[in-house]
Amino acid sequence: LNCISALAMWLLNRGSPQNNPPQILKTIQKPFVHVEVYAQTRQYDVAFSNIGNMANLYKMVLEFAGGRVAAALKFCATKENQPVLFHCASGKDRAGLVAYLLLRACGVSSETCIEDYHKSDEWAQMQEHFHQISGGHGKLFRSLATVPLLDALRAPKVYMEETEAFLQKRYGGVTNYLDEIGFDKEWRERLKETFMMRA
C-alpha cells in the first residue's frame, strides 16, 4: 500500500495549481484520476474556517466527505486499477488519511498505522517540504509562519491518535465508519485480495 505506482489518484484541493500531474508521470501510459476528498458544503466551509489543527481537518474530511473517501478507497481496492499512486499537496494529510484507512481496512493495528503515519514527520520538517507547499517560498514561509502553523505542517502521532479516537467515539470504530460510508466488508475483502499475500 505504499505510494509507488504508475496510476495517479489526485487527492488535491479544488482549484489547486498542483492538479497537474508531475512531469515524470506524464510519460507513463496510465490514466490520471482526480478524486477530491474535501467536501464542498457550507457546513464544511464553516468548520474549516475554525480548523485549529490537522487532526480536526482529518475529522472534517471523515465526517463531511465520506462519499469521496469511499470513492478513493474503492478505486484503490479495484484490481483493474493497479498499480495505484495517490498523493496530495503535502503527502501526509489527505494521502496519509487514505493510507491509514486502507491499512486499517486490511486489519493492521492502529498502533502500527500511527507509527507508519508518523514516518512522514521527518519529511514534514525539512526545508524541501516548506518549499513545496509554499509555492517556492519555503524559506520566507518558514520564517514568517506561526508556531501553530508549523505544528500543522508536521505529522505527530497525536494527530492520528485523535483521529482514531474520533472514529471510535463517533462511529464505534474504523470498521463501523467504513460500513457507514459504503466501504463495507465485501469491499474490504476485495482490498485484501488485491494487496495482501496469503500465508
Side-chain angles (χ1 to χ4, degrees):
L1 294 176
N2 290 332
C3 306
I4 303 172
S5 72
L7 185 58
M9 174 188 295
W10 303 102
L11 304 173
L12 298 173
N13 260 325
R14 57 184 183 273
S16 168
Q18 294 170 316
N19 279 346
N20 295 320
Q23 283 296 124
I24 193 170
L25 292 178
K26 290 183 179 180
T27 61
I28 300 172
Q29 298 304 308
K30 286 281 188 175
F32 294 95
V33 179
H34 179 205
V35 179
E36 294 178 343
V37 295
Y38 279 168
Q40 295 179 351
T41 66
R42 174 66 181 156
Q43 186 180 17
Y44 180 89
D45 290 339
V46 170
F48 189 80
S49 66
N50 300 294
I51 183 172
N53 64 48
M54 296 310 290
N56 290 334
L57 170 65
Y58 303 167
K59 296 171 194 176
M60 286 190 292
V61 169
L62 293 169
E63 187 78 354
F64 301 137
R68 297 179 183 194
V69 171
L73 299 177
K74 289 176 180 179
F75 188 93
C76 291
T78 302
K79 193 171 293 186
E80 293 74 23
N81 292 336
Q82 305 310 309
V84 171
L85 171 127
F86 59 92
H87 72 92
C88 60
S90 189
K92 68 177 183 68
D93 298 314
R94 288 159 288 171
L97 185 59
V98 169
Y100 187 86
L101 292 174
L102 288 170
L103 289 169
R104 294 289 279 126
C106 286
V108 180
S109 71
S110 60
E111 293 80 9
T112 299
C113 292
I114 289 169
E115 286 291 340
D116 188 67
Y117 164 81
H118 183 57
K119 290 177 182 177
S120 295
D121 196 49
E122 182 177 353
W123 155 253
Q125 298 178 67
M126 295 177 68
Q127 182 68 31
E128 290 86 348
H129 179 229
F130 287 94
H131 182 81
Q132 174 183 314
I133 64 172
S134 61
H137 301 288
K139 192 171 184 179
L140 176 63
F141 185 83
R142 186 168 191 173
S143 66
L144 296 177
T146 63
V147 173
L149 181 55
L150 288 175
D151 287 344
L153 296 176
R154 297 184 58 189
K157 294 180 185 179
V158 67
Y159 288 168
M160 205 54 79
E161 288 170 345
E162 287 186 23
T163 302
E164 179 79 22
F166 166 77
L167 288 171
Q168 186 63 45
K169 182 177 180 180
R170 178 76 171 83
Y171 297 94
V174 175
T175 299
N176 288 346
Y177 173 75
L178 294 173
D179 286 338
E180 177 84 13
I181 65 173
F183 195 70
D184 55 19
K185 184 177 180 180
E186 182 178 342
W187 272 105
R188 294 193 293 273
E189 288 302 314
R190 289 177 66 175
L191 175 69
K192 293 175 184 177
E193 289 175 9
T194 300
F195 286 105
M196 298 182 70
M197 297 179 65
R198 300 294 177 185

